[in-house]
Amino acid sequence: MANASVWSAVVGQPQAISKLAFAAADPVHAYLFVGPSGSTKAEASRAFAALLMAGTDDPLQRDARLALAGQHPDVREVERQGARISAEQVADIIRNASLAPVEGNRKVMILHDFHLLDAAAAARLLKTLEEPPPSTIFIVLADQVTPELVTIASRCVRILFAALSNDAVAAELIDSGIDPDTAEIAAQAAEGNLTRARVLATDTGLMDRRDAFAGLAARLDGTGTTVVKLCTEVLGLIDAAAAPLAARQANELVALEARVAATGERGSGRKQVEENHKRELRRHRVDELRSGLGVLAGAYRDALVRGQLPRPDSGVIAVTRIHSALESMERNPNETLLLQSLLLDLPSL
């Protein structure tokens, strides 16, 4: 265990790790971690919290171990509720930030998905971020700095997380025991998202789903009956794809209960873990649909290059329509209706 570190789960981010390791000795009140989903910025938030709570880079030290597992009583993680982070949810964040630490003299608040912060919520949170209680440190996570987040970002130390390359993701999978061919396919499908790549690497149905989405355009015939049938097929494949993730989550719950039984720690945290699992499954489903629509867009681009479309502009229109559907997913739409509406608008190949 000589090389054990709280940063072990953070991949391909040496500059971020260096800055945070230095900052932990004399932390300020708020940090903003900015980078794409799956860039291991979430893992870095727990690692930084572990270092802040333990004061040493030892993942086996109690405070560090609990923070890394998301179970430390003075490290509170806040996940988004609904399509956007509302003023009501921010009010709860402010209330929790004002409470004294349970065990020590420091509390860390990890705020996820704050690129989905609405304007009213941003205004409400600003004062607390500017002048938090002396015992509270905020770690705010965002995929990008949106207009609503600009003012809050100016009150935080910004830490950038680079997008992971396919090679970096594949290498991490291979190191974990995945065979190279599978690792390469999973890395390409995950598009730099290591969290998703780990799920896909054990997913035997990955190529079937990609083939199914790629073949949608050739099966369209302009009728609603066919669209409903195709949507049922691909969404069924997406539901089945959650099996490896669900199995991993079940193992996490078993391990959690075993640890609590062995150590006698107060409160299992099972409810919070189960809530996180539900969000993770939802995110996995959305990622699957995004990935599939990306494959579908690629099918139209390939057809355009090969001259298989009756009108060249129909391929451009199709790809534009798919991209619009992808953007609309930020608003948490009904996935079945979204996909049906999209397929009804697309030309057949």
Side-chain angles (χ1 to χ4, degrees), residues 256-267:
L256 170 64
E257 297 298 347
R259 192 197 75 225
V260 171
T263 63
E265 292 172 6
R266 182 175 55 187

Side-chain angles (χ1 to χ4, degrees), residues 18-316:
S18 178
K19 290 178 180 178
L20 291 169
F22 180 79
D26 187 21
V28 297
H29 65 285
Y31 295 84
L32 175 64
F33 291 10
V34 181
S37 180
S39 60
T40 66
K41 67 179 185 292
E43 289 85 346
S45 70
R46 286 188 175 183
F48 188 43
L51 199 54
L52 290 172
M53 302 309 294
T56 180
D57 186 2
D58 178 5
L60 301 181
Q61 195 270 355
R62 176 189 177 272
D63 287 320
R65 176 171 54 81
L66 291 178
L68 290 170
Q71 298 299 318
H72 197 290
D74 288 327
V75 179
R76 182 174 178 83
E77 296 196 39
V78 179
E79 298 277 358
R80 169 170 54 92
Q81 299 171 0
R84 298 188 68 80
I85 296 168
S86 65
E88 290 75 16
Q89 188 172 7
V90 164
D92 188 57
I93 292 170
I94 294 170
R95 182 184 64 80
N96 278 285
S98 68
L99 300 176
V102 174
E103 294 187 349
N105 56 11
R106 174 176 288 168
K107 170 187 284 189
V108 178
M109 300 279 293
I110 301 175
L111 312 181
H112 293 270
D113 287 342
F114 261 60
H115 54 285
L116 297 174
L117 183 71
D118 68 30
R124 194 165 191 174
L125 183 62
L126 186 59
K127 180 173 176 56
T128 299
L129 270 179
E130 287 178 325
E131 300 177 7
S135 60
T136 300
I137 295 174
F138 284 99
I139 304 175
V140 182
L141 276 61
D143 289 0
Q144 64 269 334
V145 178
T146 61
E148 292 81 5
L149 198 57
V150 168
T151 306
I152 284 178
S154 69
R155 271 66 170 182
C156 304
V157 172
R158 192 178 307 192
I159 306 294
L160 299 179
F161 286 78
L164 299 180
S165 67
N166 288 351
D167 287 344
V169 172
E172 187 68 15
L173 294 177
I174 292 169
D175 286 345
S176 68
I178 303 298
D179 74 84
D181 289 342
T182 301
E184 184 177 348
I185 293 171
Q188 290 175 352
E191 298 179 335
N193 186 328
L194 180 58
T195 304
R196 176 164 162 74
R198 285 175 172 143
V199 175
L200 294 177
T202 58
D203 183 358
T204 57
L206 172 60
M207 294 310 299
D208 288 340
R209 291 195 307 283
R210 292 177 69 82
D211 290 344
F213 271 97
L216 286 177
R219 299 174 65 189
L220 293 172
D221 60 9
T223 68
T225 301
T226 295
V227 164
V228 170
K229 177 183 177 182
L230 294 177
C231 287
T232 301
E233 286 182 13
V234 295
L235 292 176
L237 290 172
I238 287 176
D239 288 339
L245 176 57
R248 194 207 74 202
Q249 291 177 341
N251 290 335
E252 288 178 358
L253 286 174
V254 170
L256 170 64
E257 297 298 347
R259 192 197 75 225
V260 171
T263 63
E265 292 172 6
R266 182 175 55 187
S268 70
R270 183 183 180 96
K271 181 179 179 181
Q272 181 63 45
V273 170
E274 288 177 338
E275 290 176 353
N276 289 342
H277 283 172
K278 289 179 182 177
R279 283 188 286 268
E280 194 174 21
L281 283 167
R282 166 65 181 167
R283 189 176 300 119
H284 175 65
R285 183 178 173 87
V286 170
D287 286 343
E288 277 291 328
L289 187 52
R290 287 182 179 278
S291 177
L293 292 181
V295 171
L296 179 58
Y300 279 104
R301 284 192 291 266
D302 291 345
L304 181 61
V305 171
R306 293 193 294 264
Q308 293 177 325
L309 290 164
R311 299 195 335 265
D313 65 330
S314 63
V316 175

